[in-house]
Amino acid sequence: MAMSSFLMVVLFLGLGLDHFAAAEVEADARSSRSTYIVHMAKSQMPASFEHHTHWYDASLKSASDSAEMLYTYTSAIHGFSTQLTPEEAETLKFQPGVLLVLPELRYELHTTRTPEFLGLDQNNQLFPDSVSASDVIVGVLDTGVWPESKSFDDAGLGPVPASWKGTCEVGTSFNSSACNRKLIGARYFAKGYEATLGPIDTSKESRSPRDDDGHGTHTSSTAAGSVVAGASLLGYAPGSARGMATRARIAAYKVCWIGGCFSSDILMAIDQAIDDNVNVLSMSLGGGMSDYFRDSVAIGSFSAMEKGILISCSAGNAGPSAYSLSNSAPWITTVGAGTLDRDFPAYLSLGNGKNFSGVSLYRGNSEATALEMTPFIYAGNASNSTSGNLCMMGSLIPEKVKGKIVMCDRGVNSRVQKGTVVKAAGGIGMVLSNTAANGEELVADAHLLPATAVGQKNGDVVRSYLFSDPNPTAAILFEGTKVGIEPSPVVAAFSSRGPNAITPDILKPDIVAPGVNILAGWSGAVGPTGLAVDSRRVAFNIISGTSMSCPHVSGLAALLKGAHPEWSPAAIRSALMTTAYTAYKNGQKLQDVATGKPSTPFDHGAGHVDPVSALNPGLVYDLTVEDYLNFLCALNYTESEITSLAKRKFTCDESKSYSVRDLNYPSFAVNLVGGSSSSSTVLKYSRTLTNVGPAGTYKATATMDDPSVKISVEPESLSFAAANEKKSYTVTFAVTGSRSLSSFGRLEWSDGKHIVGSPIAISRS
């Protein structure tokens, strides 16, 4: 089945277009009704009702005679989803026990070498190959799964964990036998999608857990896929493909369809995953920029966190703009994207003798590794359209491009689709040039014709050549796979950035992980480009996005859970964050490809993940459900808003002073509100460290890049005599006369063997 152009853009090609759909999903044209999610105060159920679902139904009928419940929720929230007119929704809001009536929102997906790059190949023996490692279950909410992929081979795995309560649902082209001891469960959720957009067209996508898109198979196999020898994409990135946690089990929850991912379906999938007893939830989809009590991903994740489940989510692909990240709730681990030390060079040579480096995953039918010197034309000069330079469908004049290499500018339509436009018009090759929006970041694609992508600066030079030379020519040389690229990693330009638009006092993203040109399993229903005209079928594909970095962290969290079953989700996240690195081995700071300069905590969070160090972090910043409830009080949430998240009545103590700054987070975001550049501000943050290593004394050191910021830590040393011992400290930030919009630093605790690092970001709003 072919991938729709909608998902094609979302998954691979519109890096920076993957974002939360802020507008409420419109009702189906055939109805004036829209889907709403209704949060109920279950504790207020009248005694006359034997079961809460009866009460929900009665409440619904009081507002609408004809409405039916789509889902009833028990674990992610207390409540139900239904279709109502705006008037009915307004009536329902005032029924007894109704906390909130929220409109359905549409979310979108954020769309080999990695284990070696992360040091897992040489240090695999450090992670226990034990029963606990294979008892960890990673739930993946995505486009489903292609069970025939070798990444889901269960050879060598023992029985399905006794804790597992899920199932393998039957549907279109999917039988219960599709699951095994690796892929232990698969479900699909489509009621919300179908209520809005009508019945699923099974000629285009499977009404089952089967992945007709590829994205879900890619993320699942990245997190916990089995080792597959001889993997590659058309010969690129050859080697053994493996997930981060090869012995963990996978449960697939299909919530994303051609038309998007709908909040009622996402919430039900989280609800079910909690009941199924997953240990880690991986969600490579957008949670948006709305208050936590309005965000279904944040709401469901809160309930999962209460059950001891770590939630890993992608930060989004809307970078490098500031305030662009989604999934910013502090109980979610928010993951940005970085590069590997691997590239796929494809060099462009011009007729004037100049050469330019680019990237490509093109593989023709022959062994040819080059497109010889050929007439070369700019798309804008081969079109009657004002946007002809973008190589939109039908925009090129065949007589002008036939037999030539065509230069197209990035933007609007997908990168690989531009190549098909050139090919359909008779062109034999393409040079894809970045514009200012993309800068120098290069993302490789498995083009359907010989093609290479170049950065903005090189693109400007090439374009100048095309306008100045009366007979321009070009050639493309494909160099295959190269490793050892430096510097690496660098923060991807598309990776969404902070500051945190919802809660500026919580630093996001939390961490970055590999997310550029990642090789992982793929669906057999679609080609590597996702285009309908792409008849190629591959077992593995190389794609990019924070969708790819998220499952890396999900899998690494599963590894840590297997090694330390007693650790809470907050402890696991803390271990990953406080051991992350922010500098290369030569001492230089991590780079941001968008600027060519050092990246900041608003770009990389705590830094790039280092799983081997995370196994033994020394100390962790732990958090309880009570801590998060106090955090909600600090946000001045109402009782009903807190109840909608916590699923129980919780009243903030009016005599207590709550502060967001006191949430025991492994990072520090100092938000200076108002005031002049000459004013002085003093802010205090309290933290508590838990010893998860040997006894020892840790000493604090703090550094800042702005001399106007003074940091003091009290006490300056902490001594731990036993495991799980807790010690608290206070950090005071004194900012005087700073003219910087933002400044950055780092706080480290060290006993000489462990370094427990926390990023510091100071900004003015």
Side-chain angles (χ1 to χ4, degrees):
M1 297 180 186
M3 185 191 306
S4 75
S5 58
F6 169 81
L7 274 187
M8 173 190 65
V9 171
V10 170
L11 297 181
F12 324 102
L13 310 163
L15 297 178
L17 294 179
D18 300 337
H19 60 280
F20 175 80
E24 298 168 7
V25 175
E26 295 181 359
D28 189 281
R30 297 166 299 176
S31 170
S32 61
R33 296 177 181 270
S34 299
T35 302
Y36 291 85
I37 297 173
V38 183
H39 294 252
M40 301 291 289
K42 191 176 177 181
S43 60
Q44 296 181 22
M45 183 181 76
S48 57
F49 292 97
E50 294 183 0
H51 195 269
H52 64 274
T53 56
H54 300 158
W55 177 45
Y56 295 169
D57 188 60
S59 299
L60 177 58
K61 290 295 186 285
S62 68
S64 173
D65 293 332
S66 57
E68 300 288 340
M69 287 187 285
L70 297 173
Y71 294 116
T72 56
Y73 307 101
T74 57
S75 297
I77 66 167
H78 289 156
F80 59 93
S81 53
T82 185
Q83 284 219 306
L84 300 168
T85 65
E87 294 76 18
E88 291 169 341
E90 190 65 23
T91 299
L92 187 58
K93 286 180 183 179
F94 298 99
Q95 297 305 308
V98 175
L99 294 170
L100 295 167
V101 180
L102 301 177
E104 172 101 283
L105 295 168
R106 187 173 70 191
Y107 294 68
E108 297 178 358
L109 293 163
H110 288 148
T111 238
T112 141
R113 176 77 182 155
T114 311
E116 291 89 341
F117 185 68
L118 294 176
L120 294 178
D121 59 328
Q122 297 176 348
N123 298 280
N124 199 41
Q125 71 280 0
L126 297 176
F127 292 87
D129 189 15
S130 62
V131 172
S132 61
S134 62
D135 278 349
V136 179
I137 302 166
V138 181
V140 182
L141 272 65
D142 213 294
T143 63
V145 66
W146 190 261
E148 293 81 8
S149 171
K150 292 182 180 179
S151 294
F152 307 122
D153 187 348
D154 65 355
L157 287 173
V160 172
S163 62
W164 175 243
K165 305 300 180 185
T167 189
C168 201
E169 291 184 354
V170 175
T172 310
S173 304
F174 202 96
N175 299 318
S176 59
S177 59
C179 295
N180 58 19
R181 292 170 299 174
K182 165 58 79 172
L183 178 64
I184 62 173
R187 299 179 183 270
Y188 68 100
F189 303 85
K191 290 181 180 178
Y193 175 79
E194 291 184 317
T196 300
L197 298 180
I200 288 169
D201 184 349
T202 54
S203 69
K204 295 181 179 178
E205 54 183 338
S206 302
R207 198 177 189 280
S208 75
R210 180 165 292 281
D211 179 16
D212 305 304
D213 179 278
H215 193 273
T217 300
H218 200 280
T219 55
S220 298
S221 57
T222 297
S226 300
V227 178
V228 182
S232 74
L233 168 62
L234 307 173
Y236 286 98
S240 292
R242 51 160 286 181
M244 296 297 96
T246 57
R247 297 192 62 77
R249 316 304 176 108
I250 297 170
Y253 299 85
K254 184 175 179 178
V255 297
C256 295
W257 307 83
I258 286 176
C261 324
F262 288 75
S263 55
S264 58
D265 295 328
I266 293 169
L267 205 52
M268 191 64 212
I270 297 174
D271 194 279
Q272 191 63 65
I274 293 171
D275 291 345
D276 289 347
N277 274 348
V278 304
N279 303 107
V280 176
L281 266 179
S282 186
M283 291 184 276
S284 292
L285 43 82
M289 298 182 189
S290 59
D291 289 321
Y292 306 130
F293 66 88
R294 294 184 178 276
D295 180 352
S296 290
V297 168
I299 294 167
S301 295
F302 191 96
S303 296
M305 172 274 299
E306 288 186 291
K307 297 293 185 180
I309 300 169
L310 182 137
I311 305 94
S312 172
C313 290
S314 47
N317 299 336
S321 300
Y323 296 97
S324 57
L325 60 81
S326 59
N327 298 316
S328 59
W331 49 88
I332 291 174
T333 300
T334 311
V335 188
T339 64
L340 294 174
D341 63 341
R342 179 180 64 196
D343 211 349
F344 309 101
Y347 296 98
L348 172 67
S349 297
L350 301 183
N352 62 6
K354 291 185 177 180
N355 299 302
F356 303 91
S357 59
V359 296
S360 181
L361 294 170
Y362 169 74
R363 180 74 71 192
N365 296 324
S366 67
E367 294 300 314
T369 59
L371 180 62
E372 300 299 331
M373 200 61 72
T374 303
F376 191 19
I377 190 171
Y378 181 54
N381 295 335
S383 173
N384 292 323
S385 169
T386 55
S387 58
N389 62 307
L390 298 176
C391 295
M392 305 285 284
M393 196 72 71
S395 65
L396 298 180
I397 301 171
E399 293 78 11
K400 291 191 176 184
V401 303
K402 185 177 181 180
K404 297 179 182 179
I405 297 175
V406 180
M407 180 179 182
C408 304
D409 292 334
R410 277 184 68 174
V412 185
N413 60 336
S414 70
R415 300 186 300 269
V416 289
Q417 190 178 61
K418 294 175 189 291
T420 64
V421 171
V422 171
K423 188 174 183 180
I428 62 171
M430 178 180 70
V431 174
L432 183 64
S433 174
N434 282 1
T435 61
N438 316 109
E440 301 308 306
E441 180 171 64
L442 299 180
V443 180
D445 296 299
H447 293 283
L448 287 165
L449 83 171
T452 186
V454 298
Q456 179 195 5
K457 293 177 182 177
N458 286 344
D460 290 344
V461 176
V462 174
R463 197 178 296 103
S464 177
Y465 164 71
L466 284 168
F467 277 98
S468 61
D469 194 300
N471 297 296
T473 57
I476 303 173
L477 175 65
F478 301 97
E479 287 279 292
T481 304
K482 301 293 182 183
V483 296
I485 304 298
E486 292 183 354
S488 61
V490 296
V491 177
F494 63 75
S495 186
S496 290
R497 315 301 173 98
N500 185 337
I502 306 302
T503 314
D505 291 303
I506 300 295
L507 181 61
K508 291 286 183 171
D510 291 313
I511 203 164
V512 293
V516 179
N517 295 334
I518 304 301
L519 178 77
W522 196 244
S523 169
V526 66
T529 64
L531 298 173
V533 297
D534 190 354
S535 60
R536 299 171 297 178
R537 294 296 180 264
V538 295
F540 295 87
N541 200 6
I542 295 173
I543 57 177
S544 301
T546 53
S547 277
M548 284 63 257
S549 55
C550 167
H552 277 90
V553 169
S554 306
L556 295 176
L559 275 181
L560 293 184
K561 184 68 175 178
H564 302 285
E566 74 283 3
W567 281 8
S568 70
I572 292 173
R573 175 179 58 194
S574 174
L576 291 168
M577 289 177 65
T578 61
T579 59
Y581 61 90
T582 58
Y584 303 111
K585 292 180 180 179
N586 63 7
Q588 297 296 309
K589 293 182 179 180
L590 290 186
Q591 297 292 297
D592 178 3
V593 73
T595 63
K597 299 177 181 179
S599 58
T600 76
F602 288 143
D603 309 321
H604 61 234
H608 192 281
V609 66
D610 181 355
V612 177
S613 296
L615 187 66
N616 181 22
L619 307 173
V620 295
Y621 293 87
D622 209 352
L623 282 161
T624 66
V625 176
E626 189 82 9
D627 293 326
Y628 288 119
L629 291 171
N630 289 337
F631 165 79
L632 298 178
C633 290
L635 294 181
N636 294 317
Y637 275 20
T638 66
E639 185 175 307
S640 64
E641 290 165 353
I642 294 176
T643 302
S644 68
L645 279 158
K647 305 187 307 300
R648 64 180 184 276
K649 187 175 182 179
F650 180 84
T651 303
C652 301
D653 187 345
E654 293 184 0
S655 65
K656 185 176 179 180
S657 177
Y658 296 97
S659 173
V660 173
R661 296 193 295 272
D662 289 338
L663 184 69
N664 200 39
Y665 217 68
S667 58
F668 297 90
V670 182
N671 182 40
L672 305 177
V673 181
S676 67
S677 61
S678 61
S679 61
S680 178
T681 304
V682 177
L683 295 173
K684 292 182 180 292
Y685 289 66
S686 62
R687 293 290 189 270
T688 299
L689 284 162
T690 301
N691 183 34
V692 293
T697 297
Y698 287 77
K699 294 184 178 180
T701 57
T703 56
M704 282 297 302
D705 64 3
D706 184 348
S708 69
V709 180
K710 305 299 181 184
I711 304 174
S712 60
V713 182
E714 180 63 35
E716 294 181 344
S717 67
L718 297 171
S719 294
F720 297 88
N724 298 315
E725 185 179 358
K726 297 179 183 292
K727 291 290 180 71
S728 297
Y729 69 92
T730 301
V731 184
T732 302
F733 298 94
V735 185
T736 305
S738 174
R739 296 185 180 276
S740 301
L741 291 176
S742 57
S743 53
F744 306 99
R746 186 171 173 85
L747 172 65
E748 293 183 347
W749 291 91
S750 179
D751 64 348
K753 297 179 181 178
H754 306 88
I755 296 177
V756 185
S758 294
I760 299 169
I762 298 179
S763 61
R764 292 187 179 274
S765 63

